[in-house]
């Protein structure tokens, strides 16, 4: 009896070690999507009334959990009955990340070129409908990003036992959701906290409040930039591992960089990231051009 109990505890400990390792790897691989998810959802929530920001974040959080409650079982079923489709799904997810990254860059360039204060839209009179549309749009966007997180996680645990897959994917889905929307809730209230402190009589509180008011928009811009860079890195990394030529080229370049005197170790560590970033940008441009051509063909056909 005692020996059976010890074996059971040993199995549980091994399972937890495996789950912890796979969860860490999955979290690292989904970091690009997480950064984009955070920036995008913080932007989605902006624009509603200050007192409605947290209720909107909570509504989107519940929608995100529902998205993952649908996606995780579907992904597990796919891994059981059609495991061969995991790699193609990973590549599609990587291509989508790269495509979205290129679109973000182009959108930013166009916005800077055509920014006009007079063109900034005012809030509509029907704020209830506006808020509902905001929530629906954020949940739709979250579904795509959640699908990417689930697919990337599934690729990480593709060869693991079913129980490990269930635990890791559920853990990543739950923690990612709470982590992202918890941070979104903090981010959207930074400016409110800053405004609150500026109204205090103490000079120190007013100073901190002004710092927070100046920090909030810069934080949003930083998150957007970091999220976009991470999308190219993650998307390019997925494609690099899936395409043998790109994978061998990356390994060869890393090995060549490592033998360079003095700076070899540093160059060897950053070479894969630089190549993944470049592969991600190239793949994104190719997908964008292909989508544009296909769209024009369909327009002419109609």
């Amino acid at each position: 009896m005692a020996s059976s109990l010890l074996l059971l505890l040993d199995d549980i400990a091994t399972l937890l070690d495996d789950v912890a390792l796979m969860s860490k790897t999955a979290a690292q691989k989904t970091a690009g999507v997480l950064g984009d998810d955070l920036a995008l959802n913080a932007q989605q929530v902006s624009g509603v009334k200050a007192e409605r920001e947290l209720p909107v974040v909570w509504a989107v959080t519940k929608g995100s959990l529902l998205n993952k409650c649908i996606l995780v079982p579907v992904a597990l079923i796919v891994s059981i009955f059609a495991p061969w489709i995991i790699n193609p799904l990973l590549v599609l997810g990587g291509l989508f990340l790269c495509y979205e990254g290129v679109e973000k860059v182009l959108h930013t360039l166009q916005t800077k070129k055509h920014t006009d204060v007079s063109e900034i839209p005012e809030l509509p009179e029907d704020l209830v409908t506006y808020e509902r549309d905001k929530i629906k749009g954020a949940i739709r966007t979250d579904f795509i990003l959640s699908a990417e997180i689930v697919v990337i996680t599934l690729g990480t645990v593709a060869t693991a036992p079913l129980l490990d897959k269930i635990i890791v994917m559920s853990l990543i889905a739950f923690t990612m959701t709470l982590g992202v929307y918890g941070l979104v809730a903090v981010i959207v209230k930074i400016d409110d906290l800053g405004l609150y402190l500026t109204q205090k009589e103490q000079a120190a509180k007013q100073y901190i409040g002004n710092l927070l008011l100046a920090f909030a928009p810069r934080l949003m811009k930083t998150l957007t930039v970091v999220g976009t860079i991470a999308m190219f890195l993650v998307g390019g990394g997925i494609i690099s591992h899936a395409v043998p030529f790109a994978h061998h080229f990356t390994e060869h370049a890393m090995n060549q960089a490592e033998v360079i005197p003095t700076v070899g170790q540093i160059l060897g560590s950053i070479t894969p990231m630089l190549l993944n970033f470049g592969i991600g940008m190239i793949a994104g441009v190719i997908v964008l051009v292909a989508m544009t051509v296909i769209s024009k063909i369909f327009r002419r056909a109609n």
Side-chain angles (χ1 to χ4, degrees):
M1 181 70 178
S3 60
S4 299
L5 179 60
L6 288 174
L7 286 173
L8 175 61
L9 292 174
D10 184 61
D11 290 342
I12 293 173
T14 303
L15 172 63
L16 292 176
D17 285 342
D18 292 342
V19 167
L21 181 61
M22 287 186 290
S23 297
K24 181 180 177 181
T25 304
Q28 290 173 344
K29 289 188 176 182
T30 55
V33 186
L34 180 64
D36 185 56
D37 201 356
L38 181 61
L40 196 56
N41 281 292
Q43 291 171 345
Q44 288 270 29
V45 174
S46 63
V48 300
K49 296 176 69 174
E51 64 270 19
R52 294 295 303 161
E53 285 176 340
L54 292 182
V56 167
V57 172
W58 174 237
V60 178
T61 303
K62 291 189 290 184
S64 177
L65 287 171
L66 179 60
N67 285 340
K68 292 178 178 69
C69 286
I70 296 170
L71 290 166
V72 170
V74 170
L76 289 169
I77 292 171
V78 166
S79 71
I80 294 171
F81 296 103
W84 55 269
I85 206 172
I86 294 176
N87 280 335
L89 286 175
L90 275 172
V91 174
L92 286 175
L95 288 172
F96 180 81
L97 278 174
C98 300
Y99 165 74
E100 198 176 38
V102 171
E103 274 210 321
K104 279 182 175 294
V105 172
L106 293 176
H107 176 72
T108 301
L109 294 175
Q110 291 172 355
T111 301
K112 285 183 178 180
K113 188 176 181 180
H114 301 290
T115 298
D116 185 354
V117 177
S118 63
E119 295 178 0
I120 299 175
E122 296 181 356
L123 288 177
E125 294 182 3
D126 189 354
L127 292 177
V128 175
T129 302
Y130 176 73
E131 181 181 304
R132 190 184 301 119
D133 291 341
K134 275 271 188 181
I135 293 170
K136 288 181 179 178
I139 292 174
R140 282 195 300 269
T141 302
D142 176 90
F143 187 87
I144 297 171
L145 296 171
S146 293
E148 292 172 2
I149 290 172
V150 168
V151 169
I152 292 171
T153 305
L154 182 61
T156 304
V157 298
T159 58
L162 180 59
L163 181 58
D164 289 11
K165 288 181 183 178
I166 294 172
I167 296 175
V168 171
M169 293 185 68
S170 300
L171 183 63
I172 290 294
F174 185 72
T175 54
M176 285 287 186
T177 301
L178 293 187
V180 166
Y181 290 101
L183 287 172
V184 168
V186 172
I187 291 169
V188 298
K189 300 309 288 184
I190 287 177
D191 54 350
D192 291 337
L193 176 60
L195 183 61
Y196 171 77
L197 291 175
T198 57
Q199 296 171 350
K200 295 296 181 180
E201 295 181 358
Q202 294 91 336
K205 290 183 177 179
Q206 291 179 359
Y207 178 73
I208 294 173
N210 287 322
L211 284 179
L212 289 176
L213 286 174
F215 172 71
R218 289 181 173 84
L219 175 61
M220 287 297 301
K221 289 181 180 179
T222 301
L223 283 173
T224 302
V225 171
V226 171
T228 303
I229 292 172
M231 289 168 73
F232 287 125
L233 288 172
V234 175
I238 291 171
I239 295 167
S240 175
H241 281 85
V243 179
F245 169 77
H247 182 64
H248 293 318
F249 177 77
T250 301
E251 284 191 338
H252 178 71
M254 182 180 67
N255 293 332
Q256 291 296 315
E258 286 178 343
V259 299
I260 297 176
T262 309
V263 295
Q265 190 173 2
I266 297 173
L267 286 177
S269 62
I270 65 173
T271 296
M273 287 193 299
L274 294 175
L275 289 175
N276 288 341
F277 183 81
I279 291 170
M281 288 200 70
I282 293 169
V285 170
I286 291 172
V287 174
L288 180 64
V289 171
M291 293 291 290
T292 303
V293 171
I294 292 171
S295 176
K296 288 183 178 179
I297 292 172
F298 271 103
R299 285 177 186 172
R300 288 177 182 176
N302 294 332

